[in-house]
Amino acid sequence: MANASQARFNAEAAAWDSNPVTVQSSALAYKSLLEHIPGLNTTNPREDGLDVLEIGCGTGLLSFALHPHVRSLIGVDTAEGMIDVFASKVSSRFPSPGAAAKANITAVNVLLTDPDDFLLQEAAALTRQGRVDRPARFDLVLSHLTLHHIPDMSEILKTMFGCLKPGGRIALTDFEDTGPEAVYFHPEEKREGVERHGIKSEEMERLIKEAGFEEVRVERAFVLEKYVEEEGREKGFPFLICMGRRPA
């Protein structure tokens, strides 16, 4: 993620969860994931649920909604301020001595590099937290409103592929590049560090296939209503969900 974006997210971390648009987009992404990923609907998630990696987890708005549905969830983010807020939530929700270290949800501040290096960084960070029960690979890799900050989409998809178990899946949500008007998703003062103004359906489908995934689907997931300063009105921004499966 670009340095300008890191600086902005660090500065906004403390107030992130009070932004109604951020909260709404995470709620809509959560609903879409439950509709599209059957493994999130198991009746015994601690026994037969999914081990999940969320890239660009932020303060955990989506993570904490999902963690009752999964066996484990590890969030990663390059903005240290976001990880600090995430960690404080874990501590407050699991307050008894040692409970936070045993919880099925945590987050680490690591860089998105090649899969092997990324997993080594992640393992080292989790060890520092006293966690030794991390999965070696994941059943599901998620991201929400992260792809438009990634400089090299091909490389991040390869990293995701390498972090999955055979048969594991990705489910990535972000706003759609519908043309010139997509730039208005971000106010002008927040456009520095944005790598692309939305993602394109056909391009994402091609890149996911090139990364080695099968069963690739890119679909319209939901529409987020957001106030656009330049137009002085609410505007609907469509979101895509991008899915694929690592061959078994």
Side-chain angles (χ1 to χ4, degrees):
M1 194 176 293
N3 289 335
S5 291
Q6 283 187 16
R8 176 167 75 84
F9 290 129
N10 281 328
E12 295 181 1
W16 191 254
D17 291 5
S18 63
N19 183 330
V21 173
T22 302
V23 172
Q24 183 187 12
S25 78
S26 296
L28 291 169
Y30 166 72
K31 180 180 178 183
S32 181
L33 288 168
L34 293 186
E35 292 171 350
H36 286 89
I37 308 299
L40 295 175
N41 297 305
T42 179
T43 55
N44 297 299
R46 295 300 184 274
E47 296 179 11
D48 57 7
L50 304 178
D51 292 315
V52 178
L53 173 67
E54 183 183 356
I55 293 176
C57 63
T59 62
L61 281 171
L62 180 58
S63 316
F64 282 92
L66 283 172
H67 92 91
H69 300 273
V70 304
R71 180 163 48 211
S72 69
L73 189 149
I74 297 172
V76 297
D77 203 288
T78 56
E80 188 174 357
M82 293 286 186
I83 295 296
D84 289 344
V85 175
F86 193 116
S88 71
K89 289 182 182 179
V90 174
S91 296
S92 65
R93 296 187 189 205
F94 303 95
S96 61
K102 297 177 182 178
N104 73 322
I105 181 170
T106 190
V108 292
N109 177 218
V110 297
L111 296 174
L112 302 172
T113 55
D114 71 90
D116 291 335
D117 186 43
F118 168 76
L119 289 168
L120 285 173
Q121 289 187 60
E122 179 220 26
L126 290 169
T127 299
R128 290 192 293 272
Q129 292 183 11
R131 295 173 181 268
V132 295
D133 57 348
R134 60 173 295 277
R137 290 288 192 278
F138 298 90
D139 300 296
L140 178 64
V141 174
L142 306 175
S143 76
H144 175 58
L145 279 175
T146 297
L147 296 180
H148 69 274
H149 289 290
I150 301 296
D152 191 327
M153 194 75 77
S154 295
E155 288 303 311
I156 191 64
L157 289 168
K158 291 175 184 176
T159 296
M160 292 178 186
F161 185 93
C163 290
L164 286 167
K165 303 172 186 177
R169 297 179 182 274
I170 55 170
L172 321 170
T173 51
D174 213 323
F175 72 104
E176 185 177 3
D177 179 356
T178 54
E181 71 276 9
V183 71
Y184 297 127
F185 184 84
H186 294 95
E188 186 173 0
E189 67 273 13
K190 295 184 178 181
R191 291 173 192 161
E192 184 181 1
V194 174
E195 294 290 337
R196 58 186 61 77
H197 297 292
I199 57 175
K200 297 180 179 179
S201 177
E202 291 184 0
E203 180 183 25
M204 288 304 303
E205 185 173 342
R206 174 179 60 81
L207 291 173
I208 293 169
K209 288 178 180 177
E210 289 177 356
F213 290 93
E214 60 185 19
E215 298 178 20
V216 176
R217 294 160 54 202
V218 179
E219 301 177 2
R220 181 74 59 85
F222 56 86
V223 175
L224 176 69
E225 295 292 329
K226 194 173 188 290
Y227 182 77
V228 174
E229 294 177 355
E230 285 91 340
E231 298 185 0
R233 65 181 180 91
E234 294 282 327
K235 185 179 180 67
F237 291 89
F239 274 62
L240 299 174
I241 183 167
C242 308
M243 296 168 286
R245 177 178 177 269
R246 176 171 177 163

